[in-house]
mmCIF file of all heavy atoms in Angstrom:
data_model
loop_
_atom_site.group_PDB
_atom_site.id
_atom_site.type_symbol
_atom_site.label_atom_id
_atom_site.label_comp_id
_atom_site.label_asym_id
_atom_site.label_seq_id
_atom_site.Cartn_x
_atom_site.Cartn_y
_atom_site.Cartn_z
ATOM 1 N N ASN A 1479 10.230 -19.221 3.714
ATOM 2 C CA ASN A 1479 10.332 -19.985 4.954
ATOM 3 C C ASN A 1479 9.068 -20.723 5.366
ATOM 4 O O ASN A 1479 9.035 -21.315 6.449
ATOM 5 C CB ASN A 1479 10.781 -19.054 6.091
ATOM 6 C CG ASN A 1479 12.186 -18.541 5.867
ATOM 7 O OD1 ASN A 1479 13.052 -19.263 5.390
ATOM 8 N ND2 ASN A 1479 12.417 -17.288 6.189
ATOM 9 N N ASN A 1480 8.036 -20.678 4.532
ATOM 10 C CA ASN A 1480 6.769 -21.322 4.890
ATOM 11 C C ASN A 1480 6.212 -22.086 3.705
ATOM 12 O O ASN A 1480 6.430 -21.719 2.549
ATOM 13 C CB ASN A 1480 5.768 -20.268 5.374
ATOM 14 C CG ASN A 1480 6.195 -19.672 6.690
ATOM 15 O OD1 ASN A 1480 5.942 -20.229 7.742
ATOM 16 N ND2 ASN A 1480 6.897 -18.535 6.640
ATOM 17 N N ALA A 1481 5.467 -23.139 3.990
ATOM 18 C CA ALA A 1481 4.934 -24.013 2.947
ATOM 19 C C ALA A 1481 3.624 -23.520 2.349
ATOM 20 O O ALA A 1481 3.205 -24.006 1.301
ATOM 21 C CB ALA A 1481 4.736 -25.424 3.503
ATOM 22 N N PHE A 1482 2.968 -22.542 2.996
ATOM 23 C CA PHE A 1482 1.658 -22.098 2.543
ATOM 24 C C PHE A 1482 1.650 -20.594 2.320
ATOM 25 O O PHE A 1482 2.398 -19.858 2.951
ATOM 26 C CB PHE A 1482 0.583 -22.451 3.585
ATOM 27 C CG PHE A 1482 0.450 -23.923 3.820
ATOM 28 C CD1 PHE A 1482 1.172 -24.550 4.826
ATOM 29 C CD2 PHE A 1482 -0.391 -24.691 3.029
ATOM 30 C CE1 PHE A 1482 1.060 -25.915 5.048
ATOM 31 C CE2 PHE A 1482 -0.513 -26.059 3.240
ATOM 32 C CZ PHE A 1482 0.218 -26.672 4.246
ATOM 33 N N PHE A 1483 0.775 -20.152 1.433
ATOM 34 C CA PHE A 1483 0.478 -18.735 1.260
ATOM 35 C C PHE A 1483 -0.980 -18.611 0.870
ATOM 36 O O PHE A 1483 -1.610 -19.602 0.479
ATOM 37 C CB PHE A 1483 1.406 -18.065 0.232
ATOM 38 C CG PHE A 1483 1.282 -18.577 -1.179
ATOM 39 C CD1 PHE A 1483 0.373 -18.026 -2.075
ATOM 40 C CD2 PHE A 1483 2.102 -19.601 -1.625
ATOM 41 C CE1 PHE A 1483 0.269 -18.489 -3.377
ATOM 42 C CE2 PHE A 1483 2.013 -20.075 -2.933
ATOM 43 C CZ PHE A 1483 1.093 -19.504 -3.817
ATOM 44 N N THR A 1484 -1.521 -17.427 1.028
ATOM 45 C CA THR A 1484 -2.907 -17.193 0.626
ATOM 46 C C THR A 1484 -2.985 -16.008 -0.313
ATOM 47 O O THR A 1484 -2.145 -15.105 -0.289
ATOM 48 C CB THR A 1484 -3.831 -16.936 1.833
ATOM 49 O OG1 THR A 1484 -3.380 -15.786 2.546
ATOM 50 C CG2 THR A 1484 -3.891 -18.143 2.756
ATOM 51 N N LEU A 1485 -4.017 -16.025 -1.126
ATOM 52 C CA LEU A 1485 -4.389 -14.894 -1.968
ATOM 53 C C LEU A 1485 -5.756 -14.440 -1.495
ATOM 54 O O LEU A 1485 -6.710 -15.230 -1.495
ATOM 55 C CB LEU A 1485 -4.451 -15.289 -3.446
ATOM 56 C CG LEU A 1485 -3.163 -15.863 -4.040
ATOM 57 C CD1 LEU A 1485 -3.381 -16.201 -5.513
ATOM 58 C CD2 LEU A 1485 -2.006 -14.915 -3.867
ATOM 59 N N SER A 1486 -5.831 -13.181 -1.072
ATOM 60 C CA SER A 1486 -7.094 -12.625 -0.586
ATOM 61 C C SER A 1486 -7.581 -11.587 -1.576
ATOM 62 O O SER A 1486 -6.832 -10.679 -1.965
ATOM 63 C CB SER A 1486 -6.898 -11.975 0.793
ATOM 64 O OG SER A 1486 -6.521 -12.946 1.756
ATOM 65 N N PHE A 1487 -8.840 -11.701 -1.969
ATOM 66 C CA PHE A 1487 -9.468 -10.792 -2.922
ATOM 67 C C PHE A 1487 -10.580 -10.030 -2.214
ATOM 68 O O PHE A 1487 -11.302 -10.595 -1.396
ATOM 69 C CB PHE A 1487 -10.030 -11.572 -4.111
ATOM 70 C CG PHE A 1487 -8.969 -12.310 -4.881
ATOM 71 C CD1 PHE A 1487 -8.674 -13.634 -4.592
ATOM 72 C CD2 PHE A 1487 -8.259 -11.679 -5.886
ATOM 73 C CE1 PHE A 1487 -7.698 -14.324 -5.297
ATOM 74 C CE2 PHE A 1487 -7.270 -12.351 -6.592
ATOM 75 C CZ PHE A 1487 -6.995 -13.675 -6.302
ATOM 76 N N PHE A 1488 -10.733 -8.762 -2.572
ATOM 77 C CA PHE A 1488 -11.596 -7.848 -1.826
ATOM 78 C C PHE A 1488 -12.615 -7.152 -2.711
ATOM 79 O O PHE A 1488 -12.410 -6.980 -3.911
ATOM 80 C CB PHE A 1488 -10.735 -6.749 -1.157
ATOM 81 C CG PHE A 1488 -9.788 -7.274 -0.134
ATOM 82 C CD1 PHE A 1488 -8.592 -7.873 -0.506
ATOM 83 C CD2 PHE A 1488 -10.098 -7.187 1.206
ATOM 84 C CE1 PHE A 1488 -7.719 -8.372 0.448
ATOM 85 C CE2 PHE A 1488 -9.226 -7.677 2.171
ATOM 86 C CZ PHE A 1488 -8.038 -8.271 1.786
ATOM 87 N N ASP A 1489 -13.649 -6.672 -2.063
ATOM 88 C CA ASP A 1489 -14.590 -5.754 -2.696
ATOM 89 C C ASP A 1489 -13.804 -4.505 -3.095
ATOM 90 O O ASP A 1489 -12.874 -4.101 -2.379
ATOM 91 C CB ASP A 1489 -15.692 -5.409 -1.671
ATOM 92 C CG ASP A 1489 -16.748 -4.516 -2.263
ATOM 93 O OD1 ASP A 1489 -16.509 -3.286 -2.300
ATOM 94 O OD2 ASP A 1489 -17.792 -5.036 -2.669
ATOM 95 N N PRO A 1490 -14.157 -3.855 -4.204
ATOM 96 C CA PRO A 1490 -13.427 -2.653 -4.628
ATOM 97 C C PRO A 1490 -13.359 -1.537 -3.587
ATOM 98 O O PRO A 1490 -12.460 -0.688 -3.658
ATOM 99 C CB PRO A 1490 -14.197 -2.193 -5.870
ATOM 100 C CG PRO A 1490 -14.786 -3.453 -6.422
ATOM 101 C CD PRO A 1490 -15.144 -4.277 -5.205
ATOM 102 N N LYS A 1491 -14.245 -1.522 -2.593
ATOM 103 C CA LYS A 1491 -14.191 -0.474 -1.570
ATOM 104 C C LYS A 1491 -12.884 -0.522 -0.757
ATOM 105 O O LYS A 1491 -12.544 0.435 -0.072
ATOM 106 C CB LYS A 1491 -15.401 -0.555 -0.637
ATOM 107 C CG LYS A 1491 -15.389 -1.754 0.303
ATOM 108 C CD LYS A 1491 -16.617 -1.810 1.178
ATOM 109 C CE LYS A 1491 -16.573 -3.024 2.099
ATOM 110 N NZ LYS A 1491 -17.785 -3.182 2.861
ATOM 111 N N TRP A 1492 -12.134 -1.620 -0.833
ATOM 112 C CA TRP A 1492 -10.880 -1.778 -0.104
ATOM 113 C C TRP A 1492 -9.660 -1.384 -0.947
ATOM 114 O O TRP A 1492 -8.521 -1.575 -0.524
ATOM 115 C CB TRP A 1492 -10.721 -3.227 0.362
ATOM 116 C CG TRP A 1492 -11.697 -3.638 1.405
ATOM 117 C CD1 TRP A 1492 -12.897 -4.277 1.204
ATOM 118 C CD2 TRP A 1492 -11.596 -3.441 2.807
ATOM 119 N NE1 TRP A 1492 -13.526 -4.486 2.400
ATOM 120 C CE2 TRP A 1492 -12.745 -3.985 3.411
ATOM 121 C CE3 TRP A 1492 -10.622 -2.870 3.625
ATOM 122 C CZ2 TRP A 1492 -12.955 -3.958 4.777
ATOM 123 C CZ3 TRP A 1492 -10.825 -2.848 4.990
ATOM 124 C CH2 TRP A 1492 -11.984 -3.393 5.553
ATOM 125 N N LYS A 1493 -9.873 -0.826 -2.128
ATOM 126 C CA LYS A 1493 -8.762 -0.532 -3.056
ATOM 127 C C LYS A 1493 -7.701 0.376 -2.419
ATOM 128 O O LYS A 1493 -6.508 0.186 -2.632
ATOM 129 C CB LYS A 1493 -9.318 0.104 -4.331
ATOM 130 C CG LYS A 1493 -8.327 0.210 -5.460
ATOM 131 C CD LYS A 1493 -8.151 -1.104 -6.173
ATOM 132 C CE LYS A 1493 -7.439 -0.889 -7.490
ATOM 133 N NZ LYS A 1493 -7.633 -1.925 -8.446
ATOM 134 N N LYS A 1494 -8.118 1.350 -1.626
ATOM 135 C CA LYS A 1494 -7.154 2.258 -0.976
ATOM 136 C C LYS A 1494 -6.224 1.470 -0.048
ATOM 137 O O LYS A 1494 -5.017 1.702 -0.026
ATOM 138 C CB LYS A 1494 -7.912 3.346 -0.204
ATOM 139 C CG LYS A 1494 -7.021 4.342 0.488
ATOM 140 C CD LYS A 1494 -7.836 5.403 1.205
ATOM 141 C CE LYS A 1494 -6.956 6.333 2.008
ATOM 142 N NZ LYS A 1494 -7.743 7.284 2.802
ATOM 143 N N GLN A 1495 -6.764 0.533 0.700
ATOM 144 C CA GLN A 1495 -5.957 -0.279 1.615
ATOM 145 C C GLN A 1495 -5.012 -1.195 0.830
ATOM 146 O O GLN A 1495 -3.858 -1.401 1.236
ATOM 147 C CB GLN A 1495 -6.846 -1.093 2.552
ATOM 148 C CG GLN A 1495 -7.551 -0.262 3.606
ATOM 149 C CD GLN A 1495 -8.882 0.321 3.125
ATOM 150 O OE1 GLN A 1495 -9.176 0.381 1.935
ATOM 151 N NE2 GLN A 1495 -9.688 0.771 4.074
ATOM 152 N N LEU A 1496 -5.486 -1.749 -0.276
ATOM 153 C CA LEU A 1496 -4.618 -2.590 -1.088
ATOM 154 C C LEU A 1496 -3.483 -1.769 -1.686
ATOM 155 O O LEU A 1496 -2.342 -2.237 -1.748
ATOM 156 C CB LEU A 1496 -5.409 -3.307 -2.182
ATOM 157 C CG LEU A 1496 -5.981 -4.669 -1.766
ATOM 158 C CD1 LEU A 1496 -7.078 -4.544 -0.746
ATOM 159 C CD2 LEU A 1496 -6.453 -5.433 -2.972
ATOM 160 N N ALA A 1497 -3.782 -0.539 -2.107
ATOM 161 C CA ALA A 1497 -2.724 0.348 -2.620
ATOM 162 C C ALA A 1497 -1.696 0.625 -1.526
ATOM 163 O O ALA A 1497 -0.481 0.620 -1.784
ATOM 164 C CB ALA A 1497 -3.330 1.646 -3.146
ATOM 165 N N HIS A 1498 -2.157 0.831 -0.309
ATOM 166 C CA HIS A 1498 -1.248 1.073 0.815
ATOM 167 C C HIS A 1498 -0.344 -0.137 1.039
ATOM 168 O O HIS A 1498 0.873 0.013 1.240
ATOM 169 C CB HIS A 1498 -2.051 1.395 2.080
ATOM 170 C CG HIS A 1498 -1.190 1.713 3.253
ATOM 171 N ND1 HIS A 1498 -0.624 2.948 3.456
ATOM 172 C CD2 HIS A 1498 -0.779 0.936 4.293
ATOM 173 C CE1 HIS A 1498 0.090 2.933 4.560
ATOM 174 N NE2 HIS A 1498 0.013 1.721 5.098
ATOM 175 N N CYS A 1499 -0.912 -1.331 1.006
ATOM 176 C CA CYS A 1499 -0.131 -2.551 1.228
ATOM 177 C C CYS A 1499 0.896 -2.790 0.122
ATOM 178 O O CYS A 1499 1.867 -3.516 0.326
ATOM 179 C CB CYS A 1499 -1.050 -3.764 1.357
ATOM 180 S SG CYS A 1499 -1.962 -3.802 2.915
ATOM 181 N N GLY A 1500 0.698 -2.179 -1.023
ATOM 182 C CA GLY A 1500 1.674 -2.282 -2.103
ATOM 183 C C GLY A 1500 2.740 -1.209 -2.048
ATOM 184 O O GLY A 1500 3.785 -1.324 -2.679
ATOM 185 N N ALA A 1501 2.491 -0.152 -1.284
ATOM 186 C CA ALA A 1501 3.407 0.987 -1.252
ATOM 187 C C ALA A 1501 4.294 1.019 -0.010
ATOM 188 O O ALA A 1501 5.336 1.675 -0.010
ATOM 189 C CB ALA A 1501 2.613 2.288 -1.339
ATOM 190 N N VAL A 1502 3.885 0.335 1.054
ATOM 191 C CA VAL A 1502 4.594 0.391 2.332
ATOM 192 C C VAL A 1502 5.110 -1.005 2.669
ATOM 193 O O VAL A 1502 4.415 -2.001 2.468
ATOM 194 C CB VAL A 1502 3.648 0.905 3.448
ATOM 195 C CG1 VAL A 1502 4.309 0.844 4.798
ATOM 196 C CG2 VAL A 1502 3.179 2.308 3.129
ATOM 197 N N SER A 1503 6.305 -1.069 3.217
ATOM 198 C CA SER A 1503 6.874 -2.348 3.611
ATOM 199 C C SER A 1503 6.432 -2.728 5.021
ATOM 200 O O SER A 1503 6.348 -1.870 5.911
ATOM 201 C CB SER A 1503 8.407 -2.276 3.583
ATOM 202 O OG SER A 1503 8.957 -3.470 4.119
ATOM 203 N N GLY A 1504 6.192 -4.014 5.207
ATOM 204 C CA GLY A 1504 5.895 -4.539 6.531
ATOM 205 C C GLY A 1504 7.086 -4.439 7.479
ATOM 206 O O GLY A 1504 6.938 -4.611 8.682
ATOM 207 N N ARG A 1505 8.261 -4.159 6.934
ATOM 208 C CA ARG A 1505 9.429 -3.916 7.785
ATOM 209 C C ARG A 1505 9.284 -2.587 8.527
ATOM 210 O O ARG A 1505 9.862 -2.391 9.577
ATOM 211 C CB ARG A 1505 10.705 -3.847 6.951
ATOM 212 C CG ARG A 1505 11.178 -5.137 6.371
ATOM 213 C CD ARG A 1505 12.508 -4.918 5.613
ATOM 214 N NE ARG A 1505 12.861 -6.065 4.823
ATOM 215 C CZ ARG A 1505 12.673 -6.169 3.512
ATOM 216 N NH1 ARG A 1505 12.163 -5.174 2.830
ATOM 217 N NH2 ARG A 1505 13.028 -7.262 2.882
ATOM 218 N N GLU A 1506 8.524 -1.670 7.916
ATOM 219 C CA GLU A 1506 8.410 -0.305 8.437
ATOM 220 C C GLU A 1506 7.175 -0.063 9.290
ATOM 221 O O GLU A 1506 7.176 0.845 10.112
ATOM 222 C CB GLU A 1506 8.402 0.688 7.264
ATOM 223 C CG GLU A 1506 9.657 0.624 6.425
ATOM 224 C CD GLU A 1506 9.514 1.310 5.086
ATOM 225 O OE1 GLU A 1506 8.463 1.943 4.819
ATOM 226 O OE2 GLU A 1506 10.455 1.207 4.284
ATOM 227 N N GLU A 1507 6.127 -0.823 9.070
ATOM 228 C CA GLU A 1507 4.897 -0.623 9.841
ATOM 229 C C GLU A 1507 4.062 -1.888 9.847
ATOM 230 O O GLU A 1507 4.257 -2.782 9.025
ATOM 231 C CB GLU A 1507 4.069 0.532 9.277
ATOM 232 C CG GLU A 1507 3.301 0.209 8.021
ATOM 233 C CD GLU A 1507 2.309 1.289 7.615
ATOM 234 O OE1 GLU A 1507 2.541 2.480 7.859
ATOM 235 O OE2 GLU A 1507 1.284 0.922 7.015
ATOM 236 N N ASP A 1508 3.124 -1.931 10.750
ATOM 237 C CA ASP A 1508 2.140 -3.015 10.806
ATOM 238 C C ASP A 1508 1.040 -2.660 9.810
ATOM 239 O O ASP A 1508 0.138 -1.874 10.108
ATOM 240 C CB ASP A 1508 1.588 -3.141 12.225
ATOM 241 C CG ASP A 1508 0.556 -4.239 12.365
ATOM 242 O OD1 ASP A 1508 0.064 -4.768 11.336
ATOM 243 O OD2 ASP A 1508 0.216 -4.561 13.516
ATOM 244 N N LYS A 1509 1.158 -3.210 8.604
ATOM 245 C CA LYS A 1509 0.188 -2.884 7.549
ATOM 246 C C LYS A 1509 -1.214 -3.369 7.896
ATOM 247 O O LYS A 1509 -2.195 -2.755 7.501
ATOM 248 C CB LYS A 1509 0.627 -3.493 6.213
ATOM 249 C CG LYS A 1509 1.887 -2.870 5.665
ATOM 250 C CD LYS A 1509 2.139 -3.247 4.234
ATOM 251 C CE LYS A 1509 2.763 -4.585 4.066
ATOM 252 N NZ LYS A 1509 3.172 -4.848 2.670
ATOM 253 N N PHE A 1510 -1.305 -4.460 8.638
ATOM 254 C CA PHE A 1510 -2.615 -4.974 9.023
ATOM 255 C C PHE A 1510 -3.353 -3.933 9.861
ATOM 256 O O PHE A 1510 -4.506 -3.596 9.578
ATOM 257 C CB PHE A 1510 -2.473 -6.291 9.797
ATOM 258 C CG PHE A 1510 -1.793 -7.380 9.008
ATOM 259 C CD1 PHE A 1510 -0.468 -7.712 9.262
ATOM 260 C CD2 PHE A 1510 -2.469 -8.063 8.010
ATOM 261 C CE1 PHE A 1510 0.166 -8.709 8.545
ATOM 262 C CE2 PHE A 1510 -1.847 -9.059 7.280
ATOM 263 C CZ PHE A 1510 -0.526 -9.380 7.545
ATOM 264 N N ALA A 1511 -2.694 -3.407 10.875
ATOM 265 C CA ALA A 1511 -3.311 -2.398 11.742
ATOM 266 C C ALA A 1511 -3.595 -1.117 10.964
ATOM 267 O O ALA A 1511 -4.664 -0.522 11.110
ATOM 268 C CB ALA A 1511 -2.407 -2.104 12.937
ATOM 269 N N ALA A 1512 -2.650 -0.694 10.129
ATOM 270 C CA ALA A 1512 -2.813 0.546 9.374
ATOM 271 C C ALA A 1512 -4.017 0.494 8.430
ATOM 272 O O ALA A 1512 -4.649 1.524 8.177
ATOM 273 C CB ALA A 1512 -1.541 0.849 8.580
ATOM 274 N N CYS A 1513 -4.330 -0.703 7.945
ATOM 275 C CA CYS A 1513 -5.432 -0.855 6.981
ATOM 276 C C CYS A 1513 -6.721 -1.361 7.612
ATOM 277 O O CYS A 1513 -7.737 -1.484 6.926
ATOM 278 C CB CYS A 1513 -5.001 -1.797 5.859
ATOM 279 S SG CYS A 1513 -3.699 -1.110 4.826
ATOM 280 N N GLY A 1514 -6.697 -1.665 8.903
ATOM 281 C CA GLY A 1514 -7.882 -2.202 9.556
ATOM 282 C C GLY A 1514 -8.140 -3.651 9.211
ATOM 283 O O GLY A 1514 -9.280 -4.117 9.249
ATOM 284 N N PHE A 1515 -7.084 -4.384 8.868
ATOM 285 C CA PHE A 1515 -7.204 -5.798 8.525
ATOM 286 C C PHE A 1515 -6.955 -6.670 9.749
ATOM 287 O O PHE A 1515 -6.187 -6.309 10.637
ATOM 288 C CB PHE A 1515 -6.192 -6.190 7.443
ATOM 289 C CG PHE A 1515 -6.465 -5.617 6.078
ATOM 290 C CD1 PHE A 1515 -5.413 -5.259 5.255
ATOM 291 C CD2 PHE A 1515 -7.754 -5.460 5.603
ATOM 292 C CE1 PHE A 1515 -5.635 -4.750 3.983
ATOM 293 C CE2 PHE A 1515 -7.997 -4.949 4.338
ATOM 294 C CZ PHE A 1515 -6.930 -4.591 3.532
ATOM 295 N N HIS A 1516 -7.581 -7.837 9.749
ATOM 296 C CA HIS A 1516 -7.418 -8.812 10.821
ATOM 297 C C HIS A 1516 -6.974 -10.136 10.206
ATOM 298 O O HIS A 1516 -7.536 -10.571 9.198
ATOM 299 C CB HIS A 1516 -8.734 -8.998 11.586
ATOM 300 C CG HIS A 1516 -9.191 -7.727 12.221
ATOM 301 N ND1 HIS A 1516 -10.009 -6.831 11.566
ATOM 302 C CD2 HIS A 1516 -8.910 -7.185 13.422
ATOM 303 C CE1 HIS A 1516 -10.230 -5.795 12.360
ATOM 304 N NE2 HIS A 1516 -9.568 -5.986 13.488
ATOM 305 N N VAL A 1517 -5.989 -10.752 10.818
ATOM 306 C CA VAL A 1517 -5.449 -12.016 10.321
ATOM 307 C C VAL A 1517 -6.254 -13.171 10.906
ATOM 308 O O VAL A 1517 -6.520 -13.208 12.107
ATOM 309 C CB VAL A 1517 -3.958 -12.162 10.689
ATOM 310 C CG1 VAL A 1517 -3.410 -13.510 10.234
ATOM 311 C CG2 VAL A 1517 -3.136 -11.027 10.079
ATOM 312 N N ALA A 1518 -6.616 -14.095 10.036
ATOM 313 C CA ALA A 1518 -7.267 -15.341 10.440
ATOM 314 C C ALA A 1518 -6.395 -16.483 9.919
ATOM 315 O O ALA A 1518 -5.418 -16.247 9.208
ATOM 316 C CB ALA A 1518 -8.678 -15.417 9.864
ATOM 317 N N ALA A 1519 -6.753 -17.699 10.272
ATOM 318 C CA ALA A 1519 -5.948 -18.846 9.859
ATOM 319 C C ALA A 1519 -6.801 -19.906 9.193
ATOM 320 O O ALA A 1519 -7.906 -20.210 9.653
ATOM 321 C CB ALA A 1519 -5.235 -19.441 11.061
ATOM 322 N N ALA A 1520 -6.267 -20.446 8.131
ATOM 323 C CA ALA A 1520 -6.812 -21.643 7.497
ATOM 324 C C ALA A 1520 -5.727 -22.695 7.667
ATOM 325 O O ALA A 1520 -4.765 -22.743 6.898
ATOM 326 C CB ALA A 1520 -7.108 -21.392 6.025
ATOM 327 N N GLY A 1521 -5.824 -23.464 8.720
ATOM 328 C CA GLY A 1521 -4.725 -24.370 9.063
ATOM 329 C C GLY A 1521 -3.519 -23.540 9.439
ATOM 330 O O GLY A 1521 -3.600 -22.665 10.303
ATOM 331 N N GLN A 1522 -2.410 -23.751 8.736
ATOM 332 C CA GLN A 1522 -1.176 -23.009 8.995
ATOM 333 C C GLN A 1522 -1.084 -21.723 8.186
ATOM 334 O O GLN A 1522 -0.122 -20.974 8.341
ATOM 335 C CB GLN A 1522 0.025 -23.888 8.647
ATOM 336 C CG GLN A 1522 0.110 -25.174 9.427
ATOM 337 C CD GLN A 1522 1.217 -26.063 8.878
ATOM 338 O OE1 GLN A 1522 2.289 -25.599 8.540
ATOM 339 N NE2 GLN A 1522 0.932 -27.340 8.792
ATOM 340 N N ALA A 1523 -2.031 -21.470 7.308
ATOM 341 C CA ALA A 1523 -1.943 -20.347 6.376
ATOM 342 C C ALA A 1523 -2.706 -19.125 6.878
ATOM 343 O O ALA A 1523 -3.905 -19.194 7.140
ATOM 344 C CB ALA A 1523 -2.489 -20.765 5.017
ATOM 345 N N PRO A 1524 -2.024 -17.979 7.000
ATOM 346 C CA PRO A 1524 -2.709 -16.751 7.404
ATOM 347 C C PRO A 1524 -3.441 -16.113 6.230
ATOM 348 O O PRO A 1524 -2.974 -16.170 5.088
ATOM 349 C CB PRO A 1524 -1.555 -15.856 7.876
ATOM 350 C CG PRO A 1524 -0.386 -16.306 7.074
ATOM 351 C CD PRO A 1524 -0.579 -17.780 6.846
ATOM 352 N N TYR A 1525 -4.595 -15.525 6.495
ATOM 353 C CA TYR A 1525 -5.319 -14.774 5.466
ATOM 354 C C TYR A 1525 -6.006 -13.583 6.109
ATOM 355 O O TYR A 1525 -6.040 -13.454 7.329
ATOM 356 C CB TYR A 1525 -6.308 -15.665 4.705
ATOM 357 C CG TYR A 1525 -7.519 -16.121 5.496
ATOM 358 C CD1 TYR A 1525 -8.691 -15.364 5.518
ATOM 359 C CD2 TYR A 1525 -7.503 -17.318 6.203
ATOM 360 C CE1 TYR A 1525 -9.802 -15.790 6.235
ATOM 361 C CE2 TYR A 1525 -8.609 -17.751 6.915
ATOM 362 C CZ TYR A 1525 -9.750 -16.976 6.923
ATOM 363 O OH TYR A 1525 -10.854 -17.399 7.632
ATOM 364 N N ILE A 1526 -6.561 -12.718 5.291
ATOM 365 C CA ILE A 1526 -7.181 -11.485 5.762
ATOM 366 C C ILE A 1526 -8.697 -11.689 5.881
ATOM 367 O O ILE A 1526 -9.366 -11.995 4.889
ATOM 368 C CB ILE A 1526 -6.899 -10.308 4.795
ATOM 369 C CG1 ILE A 1526 -5.424 -10.243 4.397
ATOM 370 C CG2 ILE A 1526 -7.394 -8.996 5.395
ATOM 371 C CD1 ILE A 1526 -4.470 -9.976 5.495
#
């Protein structure tokens, strides 16, 4: 439903949070809050 997407790459210290984002659905929880991530914008595209 959107024209843009982002790919965010992290320092290895964030590996646990990335594993969580792969194991839990955003339908079930706010993964951003659970992982301590904050959404920013590059134009219309959200990124971490």
